[in-house]
Amino acid sequence: MRFFNTAGPVNCDDHYSLSPLDRFDLEEILSLIAQKKYFVLHAPRQTGKTTCLLALMDYLNKKGEYKCLYINVESAQGARENVYRGIQAIFSELADGAQLFLKDDFLEKIFAQVLEERGEDHALNSLLRQWCERSEKPVILLIDEIDSLVGDTLISVLRQIRSGYIKRPHAFPQSIILCGIRDVRDYRIHSSREKVIITGGSAFNIKAKSLRLDNFTKNEIRNLYNQHTVETGQKFESGCIDFIWELTSGQPWLVNALGYEVCFEMKNGRDRKNHITSSMIEQAKENIIIRRETHIDQLTDKLKENRVKRVVEPILTGKRVETGFCSDDVQYVVDLGLISLEQNGELNIANRIYHEVIPRELTWNAQMGIQEKTAWYITPYGLLDMNKLLSSFQEFFREHSEHWIERFQYKEAGPQLLLQAFLQRIVNSGGRVEREYGLGRMRTDLLVIWPVKAQSLEAKETQKIVIELKVLHKSLEATIKDGAFQTAEYMDRCGTSDGHLVIFDKRKDISWDKKIFRRSEIYKDKEIVVWGM
């Protein structure tokens, strides 16, 4: 039985899969190779880069026109700035790959001698020259994880390839594809030897083009999931594919992770007689987030970097950025896959799952440190008492906010993040919080969804509560007026009559007695509880 793959390259015999060669423009790549170009293929982690490169190697070797070799140089990352050890690791990969994929042991026989005689700063150039001169066919080299190399090791590899460029195709690879997360032009490489920052564009100025591997389309998701239905008979109910697209925006690992979780991990999904529903997909999403899967962990670890923070924090707070962003920072965060740059120039978090993961990850420690019990806020009818909960948070915020916000790396978003941590701690026992935030929105909208387990007076299956968060920028009355309009609009969209507006007053010269208040506003026949903090 095949399954959805979430670890390593796709094997079409084991995994539901899309044709790797259809993931990129094969005709363009073949044209670049025929023109003897050196170019870049880049995409965020776990989008299928390695799978595509392996398929390309297999395709080119079967055609018989070229000798193509794929190598992964990540093993050289451990060498760090030790260029000799780094080149030695890359030589081992070249020799092993040539033996495994091409049944060619020439590199194995000579690489130790070449490294010893030529030294680490010329040995790669010399090894590739000797190999290509001996080959009856032009050599194509696919180098994966190139940006895992560090400092002087990466600089040496790029410069040796550049210096061999004029010898192609008879005495150097006809075409080389460098593959990694980022475009080589965006590399900022610290050279310990030269005590300067070297840019990738300078060290590798022979790049002809940069190609990016895109996410899945909605039709590709449908194709992938239909393979499961064909092979097992298990159906996905109407709306599931649209919902998966809405959650993932086609990010390949997320698409596969949801499929694996709902069809192979969740007990009711493993029973092939049961149809897969949107509510099951929702639960699968929550399971993946709570487990903090490696993909999620690696991504959110990047949030600690200052250049990521400079881009993500204004999106979290909803601020307008009057002076604009540093374009290098934006491109870096786009390449990581954390944000998307829309055609109209807007910056958004890349997909709804990341949209939820980022604030939850940033508040993880706060969630663990807040000693609140869900049972304190549940009515006898099983409803969440939001008035009691926000009153308690108001008291907590007054007493502890300075201490907690100081501990956040994203201090500008601290008040909003602290409330989200408080809420998340409460609803983790069964409910969920959906978030809407974005650059220039000047607010954060939260929708708390709580399953009603006891028989309530209103006989609801789920309770929906809207909470809008705003930072005081204008006068209090003007902020309340804007906020009431926005909260009422969000309540209407979510189909609930339970709405709250929280206003954070960051002015240091205003006493807590004036900041803390609770009052009700009526806007378009909707009662909105306004909380000052």
Side-chain angles (χ1 to χ4, degrees):
M1 180 186 294
R2 295 197 300 165
F3 55 91
F4 294 96
N5 182 42
T6 59
V10 168
N11 181 329
C12 297
D13 293 330
D14 295 332
H15 309 131
Y16 304 134
S17 60
L18 304 173
S19 170
L21 296 179
D22 291 337
R23 295 283 317 281
F24 46 43
D25 188 337
L26 180 60
E27 184 179 348
E28 180 180 24
I29 287 177
L30 294 178
S31 175
L32 289 168
I33 289 172
Q35 294 170 29
K36 307 178 184 65
K37 302 291 189 182
Y38 286 15
F39 56 101
V40 171
L41 177 67
H42 69 102
R45 287 194 183 281
Q46 295 182 292
T47 52
K49 299 186 297 296
T50 300
T51 299
C52 291
L53 289 180
L54 289 169
L56 180 62
M57 177 182 68
D58 187 54
Y59 175 83
L60 291 174
N61 286 329
K62 284 180 177 176
K63 280 190 68 177
E65 185 179 349
Y66 305 110
K67 176 189 281 188
C68 183
L69 178 62
Y70 163 91
I71 63 167
N72 184 318
V73 296
E74 192 170 14
S75 60
Q77 186 181 45
R80 309 299 293 178
E81 302 275 1
N82 188 324
V83 180
Y84 184 92
R85 284 182 53 215
I87 297 297
Q88 186 177 48
I90 292 170
F91 276 16
S92 293
E93 289 293 332
L94 282 164
D96 287 349
Q99 286 184 312
L100 177 64
F101 298 122
L102 304 174
K103 310 305 177 189
D104 180 347
D105 62 357
F106 177 72
L107 294 176
E108 178 68 30
K109 291 176 180 177
I110 70 165
F111 85 76
Q113 181 181 353
V114 171
L115 183 58
E116 185 65 30
E117 291 179 355
R118 298 289 183 169
E120 63 270 29
D121 288 319
H122 188 69
L124 178 61
N125 185 308
S126 180
L127 186 77
L128 291 176
R129 176 185 61 77
Q130 293 182 52
W131 186 41
C132 292
E133 285 178 333
R134 183 178 179 276
S135 176
E136 296 177 356
K137 302 174 183 177
V139 170
I140 311 300
L141 186 58
L142 316 178
I143 304 178
D144 201 1
E145 301 287 356
I146 184 68
D147 50 2
S148 67
L149 301 181
V150 177
D152 288 313
T153 301
L154 175 56
I155 293 169
S156 180
V157 168
L158 294 176
R159 284 176 171 171
Q160 289 189 64
I161 292 174
R162 184 180 66 181
S163 68
Y165 180 74
I166 60 172
K167 304 170 191 173
R168 75 197 198 291
H170 302 297
F172 217 67
Q174 170 165 319
S175 185
I176 293 179
I177 302 178
L178 300 181
C179 185
I181 294 174
R182 292 171 291 149
D183 187 350
V184 67
R185 69 162 186 250
D186 297 318
Y187 297 177
R188 300 292 182 268
I189 315 164
H190 178 264
S191 171
S192 296
R193 291 173 172 178
E194 301 176 34
K195 308 299 182 187
V196 293
I197 300 295
I198 306 291
T199 64
S202 170
F204 195 72
N205 59 7
I206 53 174
K207 181 197 76 172
K209 198 162 190 177
S210 291
L211 306 177
R212 182 180 169 94
L213 192 63
D214 289 330
N215 287 340
F216 294 160
T217 65
K218 190 188 292 188
N219 282 336
E220 286 174 330
I221 296 173
R222 186 174 287 108
N223 178 345
L224 192 71
Y225 276 66
N226 189 55
Q227 293 173 40
H228 176 75
T229 299
V230 169
E231 295 191 16
T232 67
Q234 187 172 45
K235 295 182 178 180
F236 295 85
E237 290 192 350
S238 175
C240 279
I241 301 303
D242 288 340
F243 188 45
I244 292 163
W245 169 256
E246 182 185 337
L247 289 175
T248 66
S249 297
Q251 204 289 327
W253 185 88
L254 292 176
V255 170
N256 278 282
L258 284 175
Y260 188 80
E261 180 69 23
V262 76
C263 297
F264 293 89
E265 290 288 334
M266 289 167 54
K267 186 176 180 180
N268 53 346
R270 290 199 301 266
D271 186 341
R272 300 304 182 215
K273 295 190 296 293
N274 292 334
H275 290 191
I276 302 299
T277 66
S278 292
S279 63
M280 292 168 68
I281 298 291
E282 179 70 50
Q283 185 58 54
K285 177 211 75 173
E286 192 66 18
N287 294 349
I288 291 166
I289 292 174
I290 289 173
R291 279 205 306 271
R292 302 174 82 188
E293 298 277 11
T294 303
H295 173 90
I296 303 291
D297 229 21
Q298 287 179 332
L299 198 69
T300 53
D301 186 61
K302 295 293 183 180
L303 295 172
K304 300 173 185 175
E305 297 182 13
N306 284 330
R307 63 192 305 196
V308 174
K309 178 188 171 188
R310 288 195 292 267
V311 176
V312 172
E313 189 167 39
I315 298 175
L316 278 171
T317 59
K319 288 179 64 176
R320 296 187 180 94
V321 181
E322 305 296 343
T323 57
F325 289 105
C326 168
S327 60
D328 285 349
D329 288 349
V330 170
Q331 191 58 56
Y332 176 65
V333 184
V334 168
D335 285 347
L336 290 177
L338 272 168
I339 66 170
S340 60
L341 180 59
E342 308 300 337
Q343 289 184 343
N344 62 4
E346 286 186 3
L347 296 179
N348 294 310
I349 302 300
N351 56 67
R352 265 192 58 189
I353 292 181
Y354 293 172
H355 199 274
E356 173 134 348
V357 163
I358 289 171
R360 286 173 70 164
E361 183 64 25
L362 290 172
T363 61
W364 179 261
N365 290 334
Q367 289 178 50
M368 296 302 101
I370 294 172
Q371 302 301 314
E372 296 292 315
K373 304 293 183 184
T374 305
W376 298 346
Y377 305 107
I378 306 301
T379 72
Y381 300 105
L383 297 171
L384 196 59
D385 188 339
M386 189 53 68
N387 284 305
K388 184 176 180 181
L389 194 154
L390 286 175
S391 179
S392 180
F393 176 76
Q394 203 175 41
E395 182 180 339
F396 171 86
F397 190 78
R398 178 172 186 164
E399 294 178 6
H400 305 293
S401 60
E402 289 184 13
H403 164 72
W404 276 106
I405 290 172
E406 189 59 35
R407 293 168 63 179
F408 285 134
Q409 183 186 4
Y410 287 54
K411 293 180 177 58
E412 188 69 25
Q416 297 97 314
L417 291 174
L418 190 56
L419 176 52
Q420 290 178 67
F422 195 91
L423 279 174
Q424 196 68 53
R425 178 71 175 175
I426 302 304
V427 304
N428 271 346
S429 62
R432 69 179 191 271
V433 181
E434 295 184 357
R435 300 160 172 84
E436 290 192 17
Y437 56 86
L439 204 60
R441 295 182 83 242
M442 303 299 288
R443 66 187 190 275
T444 301
D445 293 327
L446 307 178
L447 174 62
V448 180
I449 300 175
W450 182 258
V452 182
K453 297 173 183 177
Q455 184 62 39
S456 75
L457 287 173
E458 300 176 35
K460 296 179 180 178
E461 291 184 6
T462 58
Q463 178 187 11
K464 293 183 178 180
I465 308 164
V466 161
I467 307 173
E468 179 162 306
L469 316 181
K470 288 184 75 70
V471 174
L472 183 69
H473 287 295
K474 309 174 185 177
S475 69
L476 178 60
E477 293 307 316
T479 303
I480 291 175
K481 182 180 178 181
D482 288 347
F485 167 76
Q486 292 157 350
T487 305
E489 187 178 59
Y490 193 44
M491 290 166 67
D492 189 55
R493 186 147 50 92
C494 296
T496 182
S497 59
D498 196 348
H500 300 261
L501 171 61
V502 177
I503 297 175
F504 294 105
D505 188 341
K506 294 173 132 184
R507 295 175 297 176
K508 296 186 181 299
D509 58 339
I510 302 298
S511 70
W512 278 107
D513 286 339
K514 290 185 177 179
K515 291 179 182 179
I516 298 293
F517 64 85
R518 176 188 186 278
R519 75 193 214 196
S520 290
E521 293 284 329
I522 303 296
Y523 189 88
K524 290 188 176 180
D525 299 324
K526 290 181 171 62
E527 182 180 10
I528 299 168
V529 183
V530 183
W531 303 83
M533 301 194 193

